């Protein structure tokens, strides 16, 4: 039971990540002023969409044999891309980042993505059909990485490969940091949940006494109710 | 200029109305973010409205949010608090996410569009629905408005009488948590489909069910109408939507109907659990039709009106509109093209306008079904490399491109369209569509399963001119406008060939689209009819699970991700290189 849960989690989360990166690429594609770059990002987005589809298929294959309760938890709803933090509440990266930083971000993340697929590859087995598909995805990521690198050097020739290394180290640390932060947050969350529940209980006890009847609208002209009232 | 905005609870969107009462622009956030059902603060939509229309914050007189945020929040909390400790998770979730609820819309305006927050006003949720529907009505006076959704900001259904746009009196309401919309969503959830998205599937599935089956009868008994008190009554112990964040139905419902369906297992006609699921869907649909009938009858009784506006998420239940049209007191039913919460931005923008000094007696222009301004951005330049690498032009001239597209359709091919402005509502009406010959079984099948990957039990809509529709279907003049936006199904005429069309559902109904004159589909049909094709199968242009394509890039992407080869665009007719 626990095993299937953790397996489903891996495919579920990876599918989210791949879909989010498809949307990020599509956003840059529409944002750029160069038809050539638009084409590059367009094809990159297409790859990421197809990666996401593969992981959703792998998820659905396993979901069929899970209990209904478990399966329900792994039903994908697109807005969770935002609530789970795969896409920022602030908007797509291209809206909040310089293009240069964005390329560096892609450069490093493609490599990091590739390494995380290694783990999944072990899980499904290298020689299985799924294993072959994942190897294909890993080859895509390596290609994306190469493209990003080339792109970066064309547009910023003054930057040397070693400077990209710095970017990469920075992003790796950031990623690790994110993971640690995430783990801490989860820990903190577990710690605080009872407290939150007590607070919710108290607030609930007060809410019980709320009388919302005076805000009823029956018989009223809805166009005459204060435009400033949030209640 | 006036802006209306929705978000946080359901699909977010933004609309722009000018000082003459004209809807100038409208975007759903999901169209731009490409996240289906996106309910985050509609920053991309507002930005696009400002940018496309060359507006600055100072040019906006007022902004209206479509509901009263604190009211929505408190009604849910109050109900949940009556059921502690069972509802503790929901309460904890509500309080912890207080700052992410619509209560924070003021802060989001301040953060993303400095200055707009000081112009913010609030409308009532159901009033926003009503005003959206009213905009699409030819007459703006003496009409009754029925709003039914999951939950607004205080009630789940309401009836108001519109004297004129400045006097809209609410006469009846169904208080939360009893809710026809949430009941239908719970059944959707129970049947393994995603809430807010799978309701269409339940509706399609219902046609396979038997009203006299045990399951259907059990579901049919979950709610009722009390004619003494004129209230909807519901045994809430079968539902958990008011108590839980993760589950909308209770274990008692599973005891009643059997285990819920695993969402990952495909539902295929003929397979073991299919009939039980279809019967359950049938029961839900029967109950829906019964209660809608009761609500409309009550609306007529208290308003004496024979003309109705119908909006809110439940009005998207197109399979129940035909029975409403047959009620003896109904002269007309108007359903706006975007009757769900996304469309409320339009009502909210009109709310600002009607409350402003610009409003003069009944001066509200009826919007078309395609409101957003055409993109100012040069598609041809940006897509130049994508097209030259992956596509070829079959025809560049518009007239020849349409003729060539017609020829391809007559040969049984499926064509995608990305033409001019995108549709207002959730249904693609030709500008962002996948189309093929509606009488060609193989073509329709190809469109449905190969390209769209749709469940086999969901029908595809046929589109045609009015004169053609009359030959095949039992049309009802009371809901003529609904046919234009695919908001109502109709029955095939008795002993008519239409019952054999591939676009006809198992129960001999079809969700037809009557094509408007001056629309692109009309133009295409005028080329097709001489070739002997009078009906097109029409589905939205998207990959399953995605929002409908918004711009040309989205359309090109659908081609690359599916087997779709032809795309009819403003630039010409494209074919994908193989
Ligand atoms: Fe990827
Ligand atoms: Fe990649
Ligand atoms: Fe609503």
């Amino acid at each position: 039971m626990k095993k299937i849960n953790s397996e489903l989690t891996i495919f579920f989360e990876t599918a989210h990540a791949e879909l989010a990166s498809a949307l990020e690429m599509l956003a840059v594609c529409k944002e750029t002023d160069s038809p050539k770059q638009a084409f590059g990002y367009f094809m990159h987005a297409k790859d990421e969409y197809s990666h996401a589809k593969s992981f959703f298929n792998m998820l659905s294959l396993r979901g069929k044999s899970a209990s209904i309760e478990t399966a329900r938890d792994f039903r994908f709803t697109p807005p969770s891309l935002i609530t789970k933090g795969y896409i920022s509440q602030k908007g797509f990266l291209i809206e909040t980042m310089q293009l240069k930083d964005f390329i560096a971000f892609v450069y490093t993340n493609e490599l990091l993505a590739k390494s995380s697929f290694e783990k999944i590859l072990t899980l499904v087995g290298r020689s299985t059909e799924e294993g072959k598909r994942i190897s294909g995805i890993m080859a895509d990521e390596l290609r994306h990485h190469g493209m990003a690198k080339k792109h970066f050097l064309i547009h910023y020739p003054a930057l040397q490969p070693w400077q990209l290394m710095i970017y990469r180290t920075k992003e790796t640390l950031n990623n690790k940091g994110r993971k640690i932060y995430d783990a801490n947050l989860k820990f903190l969350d577990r710690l605080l949940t009872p407290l939150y529940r007590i607070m919710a209980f108290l607030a609930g006890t007060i809410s019980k006494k709320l009388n919302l009847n005076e805000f009823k609208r029956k018989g009223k002209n809805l166009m005459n109710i204060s435009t400033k009232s949030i209640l | 200029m006036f802006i209306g905005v929705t978000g946080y609870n359901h699909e977010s969107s933004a609309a722009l109305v000018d000082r003459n009462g004209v809807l100038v622009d409208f975007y759903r956030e999901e169209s731009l973010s490409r996240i289906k059902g996106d309910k985050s603060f509609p920053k991309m939509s507002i930005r696009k409205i400002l940018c496309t229309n060359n507006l600055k914050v100072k040019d906006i007189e007022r902004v209206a949010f479509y509901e009263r945020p604190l009211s929505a929040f408190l009604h849910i909390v109050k109900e949940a608090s009556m059921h502690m400790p069972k509802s503790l998770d929901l309460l904890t979730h509500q309080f912890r996410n207080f700052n992410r609820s619509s209560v924070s819309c003021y802060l989001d305006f301040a953060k993303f569009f400095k200055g707009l927050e000081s112009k913010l006003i609030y409308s009532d949720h159901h009033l926003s629905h009503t005003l959206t529907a009213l905009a699409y009505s030819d007459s703006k006076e003496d009409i009754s408005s029925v709003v039914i959704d999951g939950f607004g900001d205080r009630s789940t259904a309401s009836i108001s009488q519109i004297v004129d746009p400045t006097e809209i009196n609410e006469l009846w309401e169904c208080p939360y948590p009893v809710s026809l919309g949430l009941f239908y969503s719970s059944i959707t959830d129970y049947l393994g489909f995603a809430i807010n998205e799978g309701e269409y599937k339940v509706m399609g599935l219902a046609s396979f069910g038997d009203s006299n089956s045990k399951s259907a009868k059990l579901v049919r008994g979950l709610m009722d109408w009390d004619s003494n008190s004129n209230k909807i009554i519901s045994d809430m112990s079968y539902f958990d939507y008011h108590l839980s964040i993760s589950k909308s139905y209770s274990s008692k419902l599973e005891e009643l109907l059997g285990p819920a369906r695993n969402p990952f297992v495909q539902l295929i006609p003929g397979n073991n659990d299919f009939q039980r699921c279809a019967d359950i869907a049938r029961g839900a649909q029967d109950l829906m039709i019964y209660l809608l009938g009761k609500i409309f009858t009550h609306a007529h009784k208290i308003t004496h009106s024979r003309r109705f506006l119908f909006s809110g998420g439940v009005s998207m239940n197109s399979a129940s509109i035909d029975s409403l049209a047959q009620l003896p007191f109904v002269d007309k039913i108007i359903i706006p093209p975007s009757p769900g919460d996304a469309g409320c931005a339009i009502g909210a923008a009109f709310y600002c306008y009607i409350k402003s000094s610009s409003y003069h007696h009944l001066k509200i222009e009826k919007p078309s079904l395609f409101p957003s301004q055409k993109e100012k951005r040069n598609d041809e330049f940006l897509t130049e490399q994508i097209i030259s690498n992956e596509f070829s032009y079959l025809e560049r001239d518009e007239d020849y491109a349409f003729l060539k597209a017609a020829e391809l359709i007559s040969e049984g091919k499926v064509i995608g369209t990305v033409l001019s402005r995108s549709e207002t509502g959730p249904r693609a009406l030709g500008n962002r569509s996948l189309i093929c010959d509606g009488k060609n079984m193989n073509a329709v099948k190809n469109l449905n399963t190969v390209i769209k990957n749709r469940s086999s039990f969901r029908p595809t809509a046929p589109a045609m001119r009015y004169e053609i529709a009359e030959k095949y279907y039992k049309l009802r003049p009371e809901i003529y406008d609904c046919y234009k936006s695919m908001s109502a199904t109709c029955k095939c005429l008795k002993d008519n060939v239409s019952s054999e069309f591939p676009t006809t559902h198992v129960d001999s109904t079809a969700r037809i689209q009557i094509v408007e004159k001056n629309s692109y589909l009309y133009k295409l049909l005028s080329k097709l009819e001489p070739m002997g094709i009078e009906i097109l199968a029409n589905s939205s242009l998207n990959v399953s699970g995605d929002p409908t394509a918004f711009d040309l890039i989205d359309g090109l992407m659908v081609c690359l991700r599916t087997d779709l080869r032809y795309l009819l665009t403003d630039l010409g007719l494209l074919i994908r290189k193989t």
Side-chain angles (χ1 to χ4, degrees), chain A:
Chain A
M1 196 63 238
K2 217 172 175 177
K3 184 165 163 275
I4 184 145
N5 230 317
S6 72
E7 267 190 28
L8 287 174
T9 306
I10 291 171
F11 292 107
F12 191 56
E13 299 296 328
T14 313
H16 271 89
E18 294 296 310
L19 187 54
S21 92
L23 298 185
E24 292 283 2
M25 292 302 154
L26 196 62
V28 197
C29 168
K30 293 182 182 187
E31 217 35 54
T32 171
D33 288 322
S34 133
K36 194 168 166 223
Q37 287 190 19
F39 176 58
Y41 286 115
F42 181 82
M43 295 310 279
H44 193 160
K46 181 207 150 205
D47 283 346
E48 301 298 347
Y49 269 124
S50 123
H51 299 172
K53 188 178 170 195
S54 297
F55 287 109
F56 277 122
N57 286 344
M58 293 177 208
L59 172 75
S60 135
L61 205 69
R62 287 160 180 81
K64 280 177 194 159
S65 44
S67 73
I68 289 165
E69 285 307 307
T70 308
R72 285 173 51 85
D73 290 342
F74 292 98
R75 201 160 42 170
F76 173 67
T77 51
S80 65
L81 289 169
I82 298 176
T83 49
K84 278 171 161 282
Y86 286 97
I87 287 170
S88 162
Q89 306 247 354
K90 288 191 206 123
F92 289 113
L93 291 171
I94 194 65
E95 297 172 66
T96 52
M97 241 183 204
Q98 298 273 324
L99 188 61
K100 184 171 124 188
D101 289 323
F102 179 76
I103 300 168
F105 178 86
V106 175
Y107 166 80
T108 51
N109 270 280
E110 292 297 337
L111 273 193
L112 296 172
K114 184 181 161 278
S115 69
S116 77
F117 291 150
E118 295 277 1
K119 282 184 222 147
I120 309 180
L121 198 53
T122 330
L123 187 81
V124 301
R126 249 164 229 281
S127 53
T128 57
E129 276 306 308
E130 288 183 341
K132 282 179 203 152
R133 177 69 192 115
I134 290 171
S135 301
I137 294 176
M138 286 165 75
D140 279 351
E141 305 296 12
L142 208 60
R143 189 162 44 83
H144 296 160
H145 165 75
M147 276 176 354
K149 185 170 167 183
K150 205 171 109 199
H151 192 66
F152 199 91
L153 291 176
I154 290 171
H155 286 266
Y156 308 100
L159 273 166
Q160 292 304 306
W162 60 267
Q163 283 170 298
L164 270 176
M165 277 297 291
I166 297 180
Y167 260 113
R168 189 179 148 195
T169 322
K170 214 170 86 188
E171 192 55 32
T172 315
L173 284 176
N174 270 346
N175 252 346
K176 286 227 169 80
R178 258 194 296 258
K179 270 186 193 148
I180 294 170
Y181 177 74
D182 198 48
N184 274 331
L185 213 65
K186 275 192 183 131
F187 176 72
L188 206 67
D189 200 60
R190 265 205 299 276
L191 213 68
L192 289 179
T193 298
L195 194 71
Y196 284 130
R197 288 175 70 91
I198 292 170
M199 277 158 59
F201 186 81
L202 291 174
T205 315
I206 300 166
S207 312
K208 244 189 228 176
K209 308 218 160 58
L210 269 178
N211 180 6
L212 296 173
N213 284 340
E214 32 181 311
F215 301 106
K216 284 230 186 301
R217 297 289 194 245
K218 197 170 167 185
K220 288 188 181 158
N221 177 1
L222 300 176
M223 291 302 287
N224 274 353
I225 289 156
S226 160
T227 56
K228 290 286 173 194
S229 165
I230 60 170
L231 217 113

Side-chain angles (χ1 to χ4, degrees), chain B residues 232-377:
Chain B
I232 301 174
I233 41 175
S234 165
D235 184 347
M236 291 306 295
S237 64
Y238 290 104
F239 306 103
D240 270 354
Y241 57 74
H242 55 310
L243 308 175
S244 158
I245 31 167
S246 54
K247 211 169 157 200
S248 56
Y249 55 89
S250 71
S251 40
K252 198 171 158 191
L253 190 75
E254 285 193 278
E255 283 162 29
L256 183 77
L257 301 173
R261 193 180 73 86
N262 181 328
F264 290 104
V265 179
Q266 257 208 332
L267 205 53
I268 301 166
N271 275 16
N272 44 6
D273 206 23
F274 184 83
Q275 198 52 51
R276 184 183 71 101
C277 290
D279 289 342
I280 291 171
R282 183 71 256 163
Q285 190 62 32
D286 286 345
L287 182 54
M288 173 68 88
I289 292 171
Y290 166 75
L291 285 175
L292 286 180
K294 291 291 180 193
I295 296 172
F296 270 77
T297 307
H298 189 58
H300 172 64
K301 205 169 101 190
I302 56 178
T303 64
H304 309 292
S305 183
R306 303 177 69 86
R307 293 178 300 152
F308 301 86
L309 307 176
F310 186 21
S311 57
V314 169
S315 67
M316 287 195 262
N317 191 293
S318 49
S320 55
I321 310 302
D322 193 57
S323 355
L324 289 178
Q326 294 176 58
L327 294 170
F329 52 82
V330 167
D331 283 349
K332 201 173 189 62
I333 298 177
I334 300 281
I335 299 176
S338 186
D341 280 5
C344 279
I346 298 171
F350 276 114
Y351 176 71
C352 290
Y353 163 69
I354 297 166
K355 295 297 278 184
S356 77
S357 55
S358 306
Y359 174 74
H360 298 291
H361 188 65
L362 304 183
K363 209 173 126 210
I364 295 175
E365 189 161 314
K366 184 175 170 184
S368 89
L369 300 170
F370 307 90
S372 334
Q373 293 279 318
K374 189 167 162 51
E375 279 250 56
K376 295 260 165 62
R377 173 162 195 155

Side-chain angles (χ1 to χ4, degrees), chain B residues 24-56:
Chain B
V24 180
D25 214 347
F26 170 74
Y27 300 98
R28 276 171 284 157
E29 190 74 354
E30 66 167 29
S31 301
L32 305 172
S33 73
R34 310 307 301 153
I35 298 172
K36 180 131 178 107
D38 194 343
K39 48 186 177 178
S40 51
F41 177 71
K43 49 188 179 307
M44 296 179 90
S45 306
I46 301 172
R47 207 175 290 141
K48 194 153 180 76
I49 277 185
L50 294 177
C51 167
T52 313
N53 299 282
N54 268 325
L55 296 170
K56 299 249 160 19

Side-chain angles (χ1 to χ4, degrees), chain B residues 419-436:
Chain B
L419 295 162
S420 183
R421 303 185 295 181
S422 162
E423 290 83 349
T424 308
R427 272 82 180 234
L429 303 175
N431 288 16
R432 299 292 183 278
S433 287
L434 278 170
I435 45 181
C436 69

